[in-house]
């Protein structure tokens, strides 16, 4: 090195963390790396908010335009399934939070336990969701692929208090079901991704990867999982709970 | 080590955030609250409240989401930068919704 | 006024540094799997230039077809496909990525004194996503094309055309994630990896505008992703979010599309503004006038850009009241842009300007962007808009800002950092020649289009009434000049890779951190972490330290 114009400081001054094996070369300290990772994750979640945002906008508009159709569509949702699924997701969020806590406590056994329970909850959720979709398919409620307005222009004995819709409005139930399938579909896709990542994480956790102080992966995955939970927290009242009293 | 690290010298944005470990008790409390709110929102949907059905449902959902963000996602204990990040996301989301809706609503005044 | 400010080392004795990011490892694999932000920038440069050539070919075909009123060259259907390909490729695969992903990737870590971006692996991933999206788009073009225009207007795109809308939209969808990841990476990098002492207000203004760009990437891109996903699904499975027969509203697609695409036009200008600040400061050898104003106006543009999108929808049936609001907001967004123009002009005022290639391009930018921006304000006025929308006036407006503004800025940046990227100078005289050709060609091409549009020639038709022919011929003639203006730099830049003069570390005597290291830089950028104890654009500081540079071996 000839000479240098800018004042520098030796790169070896890494602070008290020294050369942690997890520290990548372009970060100065582990804390810096960790903060960068969770900041990055949050920015990613912002994009997710906006991604769902487009669909929520559509939902708000159409719900106001075709309120009767949305009520009628919503009454075909299986209440017990929706409620159960909400509960399942909340439980999984709790176990996920506990998983992060266990990683923090460097408790490998507990981490494995909580991740495994979270995984099970995730799978149960997807199972119930699949059951519901199957039900809707049977009832010809899938716009585009398998749809009939029959259920909405006639009184159904299962919902005797629902007044039948005019054919015109009954067509608009497709707006409801289109959004229903988009929203729950994209949400389920996120769940599927989450469940797959969980399997990988479980494997790594089993080998003790996250209980030696390097836990950004678990932390970030937790953020993702909670976010998916939050989306469902909104989907549940918006799709299942429209005017249940009617 | 007395020499300030590259890190300490990053003025304006102290990055040495102290890492807060949330106790399981807090998690348990939030968990309970979330379950209660779920029951509440289901129950409320069976009551006849007029427009307030939607209002109550949304209010409960927002409360639940806030709980999850603050505690499960640690935002309550995070740096100002992260708090701002979350806020800016919600803000842009609201811009999308309100500005779009403002068009739809003002297209047919009073019909909404 | 000196005529040149370049100080090259004595060419007899100058040598390229023995070790640099270009020769740290060899072989195709070392490039395709690289995590080095500088190499990734080069990968992006190659791919975006490739797409520029495709888009340029389409543009040439468009102009050739419009040489005669009857549109003899192509059938109406082919013409539709050609202009759609031109728009899609140029917007999503050239102009959106070129500045952030090429110049940003290369410069941001160097400028803030970091070794790399925050997530190098993500950086490479986003290049691969970009390539995947690009391949889908190429597939679309080769297997029959797409003819919806770059705007994917529903219900045209969902119901009425039978071209390859799904793969075309999928390409944009995938490339969108590349933008998102790039933006995310930059934001974290700028927040977290600044060198000690590099405070926000010591950052080069380049960084501020790239930060603003990244915000738009992160917050706006997902909305077009979902809009396009809904279009694809509507075609594929028949769900009805935009289908009136099923209760959907085509106008909602416009809302979602422009919620992204208006901010995206600022993605296509903000990085250019960043380049401008660097170039203007360096070549007038002064600190940018009103540093804070310029910095904050970048952020203001990014924020405001989320409030104006419906100006693309004035005649589509949005409510009069919201048209009014959006019209006002649109005029407001011109204010921060104007602030920048004023500040650069004040920087140039009484500066000791040297007329090298980068500053010539920067002058182009100032002139052309001003015209483009002002015509934008015309278009924002509701009454004018009804007359001018969907005419060639729009075409001229956005080409003035995107090509006249942004592409000029990219050229300025490319020439400015070329010695840093490659270690060699481009031939200066040819550079000036090309910059002048570009300016003349550009105006000849697009100024007539303002008049055409004002006279009522609609856009997106393959034929036109004979009375418009003279101006169209002028425009096509200009396009040929313009083409030379692009081909020439292409040739001499390639030539300079081998035969260019050795540039030395700081040929422009510029004060930015990136100029204080050797050219081309080392793989790790800085041998030791720099400590920043000087302001941005501090030419006096530089004068004290000239010729002291970090080199190895
Ligand atoms: C400086 C302030 C600007 C204002 C006030 C402005 C205003 C407008 C308005 C009102 C329109 C809509 C015209 C219509 O369709 O009726 C428009 C179209 C357009 N503008 Fe701008 N603009 C500005 C800057 C820019 C910049 C910087 C870019 C890109 C770099 C840009 C790119 C575009 C494009 C691509 C379109 C046409 C989109 C299409 O329909 O295909 N504008 N502009
Ligand atoms: Cu616009």
């Amino acid at each position: 090195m000839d000479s240098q114009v800018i004042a520098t400081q030796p790169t070896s001054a890494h602070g008290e963390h020294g050369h942690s094996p997890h520290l990548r070369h372009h970060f100065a300290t582990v804390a810096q790396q960790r903060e960068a990772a969770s900041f990055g994750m949050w920015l990613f979640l912002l994009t997710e908010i906006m991604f769902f945002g487009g669909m929520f906008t559509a939902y708000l508009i159409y719900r106001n335009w075709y309120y009767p159709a949305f009520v009628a569509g919503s009454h075909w949702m299986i209440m017990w399934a929706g409620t159960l699924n909400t509960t399942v997701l909340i439980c999984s969020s709790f176990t996920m939070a506990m998983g992060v806590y266990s990683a923090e406590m460097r408790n490998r056994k507990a981490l494995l336990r909580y991740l495994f329970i979270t995984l099970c909850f995730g799978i149960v959720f997807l199972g119930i969701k699949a059951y519901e979709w199957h039900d809707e398919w049977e009832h010809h409620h899938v716009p585009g692929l398998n749809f009939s307005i029959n259920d909405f222009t006639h009184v159904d004995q299962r919902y005797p208090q629902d007044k039948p819709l005019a054919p015109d409005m009954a067509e608009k139930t497709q707006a409801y079901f289109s959004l229903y399938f988009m929203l729950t579909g994209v949400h389920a896709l996120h769940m599927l991704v989450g469940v797959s990542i969980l399997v990988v994480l479980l494997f790594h956790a089993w080998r003790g990867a996250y209980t030696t102080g390097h836990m950004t992966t678990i932390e970030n995955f937790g953020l993702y999982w909670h976010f998916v939970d939050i989306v469902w927290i909104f989907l549940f009242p918006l799709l299942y709970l429209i005017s249940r009293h009617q | 080590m007395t020499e300030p690290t590259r890190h300490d010298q990053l003025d304006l944005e102290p990055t040495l955030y102290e890492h807060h470990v949330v106790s399981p008790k807090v998690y348990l409390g939030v968990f309970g609250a979330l379950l209660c709110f779920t029951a509440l929102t289901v129950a409320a949907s069976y009551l006849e409240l007029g427009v307030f059905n939607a209002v109550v449902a949304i209010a409960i959902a927002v409360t639940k989401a806030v709980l999850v963000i603050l505690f499960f996602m640690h935002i309550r204990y995070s740096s100002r930068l992260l708090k701002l990040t979350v806020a800016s996301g919600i803000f842009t989301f609201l811009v999308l919704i309100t500005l779009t809706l403002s068009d739809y609503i003002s297209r047919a005044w009073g019909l909404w | 006024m000196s005529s040149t400010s370049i100080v090259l080392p004595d060419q007899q004795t100058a040598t390229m540094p023995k070790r640099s990011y270009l020769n740290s490892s060899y072989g195709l694999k070392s490039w395709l799997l690289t995590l080095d932000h500088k190499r990734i920038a080069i990968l992006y440069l190659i791919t975006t230039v490739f797409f520029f050539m495709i888009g340029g070919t389409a543009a040439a075909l468009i102009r050739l077809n419009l040489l005669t009123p009857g549109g003899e060259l192509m059938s109406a259907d082919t013409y539709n496909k050609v202009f759609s390909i031109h728009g899609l490729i140029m917007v999503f695969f050239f102009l959106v990525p070129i500045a952030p992903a090429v110049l940003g990737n290369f410069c941001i870590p160097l400028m803030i004194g970091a070794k790399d971006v925050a997530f190098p692996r993500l950086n490479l991933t986003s290049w691969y996503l970009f390539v995947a999206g690009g391949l889908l788009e190429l597939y679309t073009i080769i297997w029959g094309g797409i003819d919806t225009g770059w705007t994917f207007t529903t219900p045209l795109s969902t119901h009425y055309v039978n071209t390859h809308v799904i793969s075309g939209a999928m390409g944009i969808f995938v490339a969108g994630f590349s933008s998102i990841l790039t933006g995310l990476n930059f934001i974290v990098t700028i927040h977290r990896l600044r060198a000690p002492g590099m405070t926000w207000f010591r950052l080069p203004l380049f960084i501020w505008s790239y930060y603003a760009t990244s915000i738009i990437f992160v917050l706006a891109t997902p909305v077009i992703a979902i809009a396009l996903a809904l279009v694809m699904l509507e075609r594929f499975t028949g769900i009805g979010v935009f289908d009136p027969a099923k209760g959907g509203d085509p106008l909602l697609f416009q809302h979602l599309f422009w919620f992204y695409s208006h901010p995206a036009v600022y993605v296509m200008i903000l990085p250019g503004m960043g380049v401008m600040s660097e170039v203007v400061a360096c070549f007038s050898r002064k600190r940018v006038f009103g540093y804070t104003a310029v910095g904050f106006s970048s952020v203001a543009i990014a924020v405001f850009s989320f409030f104006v999108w419906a100006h693309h929808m004035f005649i589509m049936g949005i409510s009069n009241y919201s048209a009014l609001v959006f019209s006002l907001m649109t005029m407001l967004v011109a204010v921060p842009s104007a602030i920048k123009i004023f500040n650069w002009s004040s920087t140039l005022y009484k500066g000791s300007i040297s007329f090298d290639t980068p500053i010539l391009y920067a002058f182009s930018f100032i002139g052309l962007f001003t015209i483009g921006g002002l015509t934008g304000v015309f278009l924002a006025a509701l009454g004018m808009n009804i007359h001018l929308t969907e005419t060639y006036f729009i075409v001229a407006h956005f080409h003035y800002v995107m090509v006249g503004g942004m592409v000029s800025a990219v050229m300025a940046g490319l020439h400015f950092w070329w010695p840093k990227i490659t270690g060699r100078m481009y031939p200066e005289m040819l550079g000036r020649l090309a910059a002048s050709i570009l300016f003349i060609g550009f105006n000849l091409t697009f100024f007539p289009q303002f008049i055409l549009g004002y006279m009522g020639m609609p856009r997106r038709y393959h034929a036109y009434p004979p009375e418009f022919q003279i101006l169209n011929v002028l425009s096509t003639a200009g396009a040929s000049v313009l083409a030379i203006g692009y081909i020439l730099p292409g040739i001499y830049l390639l030539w300079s890779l081998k035969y260019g003069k050795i540039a030395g570390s700081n040929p422009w005597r510029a004060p930015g951190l990136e100029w204080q290291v050797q050219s081309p830089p080392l793989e790790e950028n800085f041998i030791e972490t720099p400590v920043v104890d000087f302001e941005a654009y501090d030419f006096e500081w530089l004068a004290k330290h000239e010729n002291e540079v970090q080199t190895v071996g």
Side-chain angles (χ1 to χ4, degrees):
Chain A
M1 181 154 88
D2 298 352
S3 59
Q4 59 187 64
V5 59
I6 26 187
T8 59
Q9 91 190 9
T11 7
S12 54
H14 268 163
E16 79 260 43
H17 295 286
H19 300 277
S20 156
H22 308 294
L23 184 64
R24 307 193 22 106
H25 79 283
H26 56 291
F27 288 104
T29 65
V30 170
Q32 185 194 28
Q33 177 173 338
R34 191 166 168 177
E35 261 243 325
S38 74
F39 185 33
M41 191 65 203
W42 270 106
L43 288 173
F44 176 73
L45 294 183
L46 290 200
T47 71
E48 292 276 16
I49 295 179
M50 296 311 292
F51 191 78
F52 281 97
M55 287 186 280
F56 280 119
T57 314
Y59 174 89
L60 277 178
I61 292 163
Y62 299 152
R63 174 175 167 148
N64 278 290
W65 275 2
Y66 316 122
Y67 187 64
F70 270 55
V71 172
S74 168
H75 284 192
W76 281 91
M77 295 293 114
I78 310 169
M79 260 316 271
W80 67 260
T83 315
L84 183 60
N85 253 353
T86 311
T87 316
V88 165
L89 267 197
I90 288 176
C91 292
S92 81
S93 245
F94 172 68
T95 52
M96 190 63 226
M98 288 308 292
V100 175
Y101 174 77
S102 323
E104 206 123 35
M105 295 292 112
R106 308 197 175 192
N107 185 341
R108 179 169 153 272
K109 272 238 179 71
L111 173 64
L112 279 174
R113 192 169 59 236
Y114 282 119
L115 287 186
F116 184 73
I117 303 175
T118 311
L119 176 66
C120 293
F121 279 135
I123 292 171
V124 168
F125 177 92
L126 285 172
I128 295 178
K129 199 67 235 162
Y131 167 79
E132 289 184 82
W133 284 337
H134 178 73
D135 183 69
E136 277 127 21
W137 179 268
E138 300 274 273
H139 285 101
H140 309 286
H141 288 169
V142 187
L145 297 177
N146 179 8
F147 192 83
S148 143
I149 58 171
N150 229 345
D151 280 337
F152 308 104
T153 48
H154 299 94
V155 182
D156 187 304
Q157 57 276 36
R158 295 202 315 184
Y159 304 97
Q161 71 277 45
D162 277 11
K163 283 191 224 57
L165 300 173
D168 189 38
M169 187 53 85
E171 288 288 349
K172 308 295 194 264
T173 51
Q174 295 183 73
Y176 170 81
F177 280 105
S178 294
L179 283 169
Y180 165 78
F181 281 106
M182 269 316 282
L183 283 163
T184 56
V186 175
H187 178 266
L189 201 66
H190 278 81
M191 288 292 294
L192 202 63
V193 171
V195 164
S196 325
I197 298 177
L198 252 180
V199 173
V200 180
L201 290 187
L202 258 174
F203 176 68
H204 286 300
W206 175 67
R207 301 203 312 189
Y210 309 117
T211 32
T212 54
H214 174 69
M215 47 166 298
T216 32
T217 319
I218 289 284
E219 238 177 347
N220 280 348
F221 179 77
L223 291 179
Y224 174 83
W225 192 262
H226 296 311
F227 173 80
V228 177
D229 182 25
I230 290 176
V231 172
W232 185 261
I233 285 178
F234 283 97
L235 291 190
F236 177 57
L238 292 184
L239 294 172
Y240 289 76
L241 301 181
I242 312 176
S243 251
R244 276 278 151 192
H245 49 84
Q246 265 177 15
Chain B
M1 229 178 260
T2 47
E3 189 191 354
T5 62
R6 163 198 174 109
H7 220 71
D8 305 328
Q9 294 167 346
L10 266 176
D11 35 8
L12 286 185
E13 266 181 87
T15 46
L16 282 177
Y17 74 149
E18 111 268 16
H19 194 72
H20 192 100
V21 180
V22 187
S23 99
K25 281 206 196 91
V26 175
Y27 287 149
L28 214 59
V30 172
F31 178 51
L34 289 175
L35 289 180
C36 291
F37 277 124
T38 307
L40 199 65
T41 190
V42 173
S45 73
Y46 284 96
L47 301 176
E48 170 73 70
L49 301 172
V51 284
F52 287 102
N53 271 112
V55 176
V56 168
I58 295 286
I60 293 178
V62 168
T63 317
K64 284 162 79 179
V66 167
L67 282 177
V68 174
I69 292 176
L70 286 185
F71 296 100
F72 283 177
M73 297 169 95
H74 296 172
I75 280 302
R76 184 158 184 263
Y77 314 100
S78 298
S79 61
R80 221 177 55 201
L81 176 65
L82 284 192
K83 289 188 174 124
L84 262 173
T85 310
V86 179
S88 69
I90 294 168
F91 175 74
T92 323
F93 174 71
L94 289 178
V95 169
L96 171 64
I97 287 191
T98 48
L99 257 64
T100 310
L101 281 184
S102 75
D103 165 33
Y104 281 86
I105 291 171
S106 60
R107 258 191 243 169
W109 279 119
L111 296 182
W112 269 56
Chain C
M1 262 183 227
S2 56
S3 72
T4 178
S5 73
I6 314 176
V7 269
L8 295 179
D10 180 3
Q11 294 294 315
Q12 247 77 58
T13 56
T15 49
M16 293 284 274
K18 282 212 190 64
R19 207 153 71 72
S20 76
Y21 80 99
L22 289 172
N23 62 14
S24 58
S25 51
Y26 292 99
L28 195 61
K29 213 173 129 208
S30 77
W31 280 87
L32 292 182
L33 297 179
T34 180
L35 298 181
D36 183 350
H37 66 101
K38 299 180 288 302
R39 285 192 168 203
I40 292 173
I42 304 250
L43 291 178
Y44 267 115
L45 181 63
I46 294 167
T47 32
T48 46
V49 167
F50 169 73
F51 282 114
F52 182 65
M53 292 194 295
I54 297 181
T57 312
L61 289 175
I62 294 173
R63 278 322 318 165
L64 269 182
N65 181 73
L66 293 178
L67 204 52
T68 53
E72 274 82 16
L73 185 64
M74 291 175 235
S75 69
D77 278 342
T78 317
Y79 183 80
N80 290 349
K81 287 180 185 169
V82 172
F83 80 67
S84 302
I85 289 164
H86 169 68
L88 282 168
I89 295 280
M90 285 300 203
V91 169
F92 294 107
F93 293 93
F94 169 67
L95 208 53
V96 167
I98 184 138
V102 178
L103 296 177
N105 253 330
F106 191 89
C107 294
I108 288 177
L110 282 166
M111 281 182 168
I112 64 175
K115 290 203 166 95
D116 207 326
V117 292
F119 309 112
R121 227 168 264 156
L122 209 60
N123 205 8
L124 186 65
T125 312
S126 59
W127 182 70
Y128 275 104
L129 283 173
F130 176 70
V131 170
L135 287 177
L136 274 166
E137 218 58 36
L138 289 180
Y139 163 87
T140 307
I141 296 172
I142 293 169
W143 294 94
I146 176 172
D147 59 355
T148 58
W150 76 282
T151 48
F152 287 98
T153 313
T154 52
L156 180 72
S157 60
T158 49
H159 285 74
Y160 296 109
V161 299
N162 44 21
T163 46
H164 295 270
V165 177
I166 294 184
S167 63
M170 196 66 193
I172 311 294
F173 185 86
V174 174
F177 282 96
S178 148
S179 305
I180 291 176
L181 297 182
T182 304
L184 188 158
N185 222 333
F186 287 171
I187 294 183
V188 179
T189 308
I190 295 170
H191 268 284
R192 282 286 160 259
L193 292 184
R194 279 172 288 133
M198 183 59 102
T199 61
W200 281 95
F201 292 96
R202 278 182 183 166
L203 287 171
L205 288 164
F206 184 92
I207 303 289
W208 280 80
S209 55
Y210 274 67
Y211 185 74
T213 309
S214 307
I215 294 178
I216 296 178
F217 270 154
V218 168
L219 288 173
T221 318
V223 180
I224 196 183
I226 186 65
L228 290 181
L230 289 168
V231 165
M232 287 185 272
L233 278 170
E234 189 155 334
R235 270 187 88 88
F236 191 59
T237 69
I239 64 158
V241 179
F242 302 131
D243 180 0
K246 295 173 182 161
D249 179 16
L251 213 56
L252 180 64
F253 173 79
Q254 297 293 323
H255 273 297
L256 297 181
F257 181 85
W258 289 110
F259 182 87
Y260 162 77
S261 292
H262 183 79
V265 307
Y266 285 100
V267 161
M268 294 182 258
I269 199 72
L270 275 168
M273 294 170 158
V275 174
M276 282 295 293
S277 297
E278 298 306 302
V279 170
V280 165
C282 175
F283 287 89
S284 44
R285 312 219 61 76
K286 271 167 70 182
R287 184 178 162 82
V288 173
F289 179 83
Y291 174 98
T292 23
V294 178
F296 278 117
S297 64
S298 293
V299 180
I301 288 176
V303 174
F304 285 8
S305 72
F306 284 96
F307 292 84
V308 301
W309 75 82
H311 64 219
H312 297 274
M313 307 163 62
F314 284 157
I315 59 158
M316 291 181 189
I318 61 166
S319 87
N320 289 346
Y321 305 98
S322 68
L324 204 73
V325 174
F326 277 107
S327 167
L328 267 174
M329 297 284 227
T330 304
M331 295 187 187
L332 281 184
V333 84
V335 173
S337 311
I339 291 178
K340 284 177 184 271
I341 295 285
F342 285 130
N343 280 298
W344 294 323
S345 310
S346 322
T347 313
L348 288 166
Y349 179 68
K350 289 197 172 162
S352 38
I353 304 173
S354 48
F355 295 93
D356 297 308
T357 312
I359 193 80
L360 292 186
Y361 280 115
F363 289 151
S364 275
F365 178 100
I366 294 182
L368 301 178
F369 176 71
T370 306
I371 297 178
L374 283 177
T375 50
V377 179
F378 297 0
L379 289 170
L382 289 172
M384 280 296 262
N385 185 277
I386 292 171
H387 176 59
L388 295 175
T389 188
E390 296 303 317
T391 68
Y392 261 81
F393 197 90
I394 305 289
V395 177
H397 156 68
F398 66 70
H399 281 90
Y400 261 80
V401 273
M402 303 209 300
V403 183
M406 182 63 165
V407 181
S408 295
V410 168
M411 292 300 266
L414 209 56
H415 284 82
F416 186 57
W417 281 293
W418 192 254
K420 185 53 63 183
I421 296 174
T422 64
R424 289 182 185 270
M425 283 308 282
Y426 58 88
E428 180 58 35
M429 276 309 158
L430 276 176
R432 291 185 201 179
L433 181 68
S436 322
I437 293 178
L438 208 61
F439 184 77
I440 295 165
F442 178 84
N443 281 300
L444 195 55
T445 312
F446 291 106
F447 201 81
Q449 298 187 359
F450 275 129
I451 306 170
L452 281 170
Y454 194 78
M455 292 182 354
M457 179 171 160
R459 64 192 278 206
R460 295 181 170 169
Y461 284 88
H462 88 303
Y464 54 87
E467 61 262 36
F468 292 143
Q469 190 172 12
I470 298 180
L471 287 167
N472 270 300
V473 169
L474 273 182
S475 182
T476 302
S480 344
V481 180
L482 194 59
I484 299 173
Y486 286 124
I487 294 172
L488 193 58
I491 295 173
Y492 68 66
L493 287 180
L494 277 179
W495 173 89
S496 75
L497 284 181
K498 190 135 201 252
Y499 304 104
K501 290 189 179 131
I502 289 172
S505 60
N506 194 358
W508 308 118
R509 286 181 292 142
L513 263 189
E514 81 272 28
W515 296 106
Q516 314 313 324
V517 295
Q518 64 174 44
S519 339
L522 289 167
E523 195 185 2
E524 64 268 34
N525 293 351
F526 300 95
I527 299 167
E528 292 176 338
T529 311
V531 176
V532 181
D533 49 5
F534 53 96
E535 304 298 311
Y537 313 115
D538 192 342
F539 288 91
E540 281 149 34
W541 169 84
L542 182 76
K544 274 189 245 136
H545 296 269
E546 216 143 14
N547 306 323
E548 302 171 26
V549 172
Q550 267 187 300
T551 31
V552 173

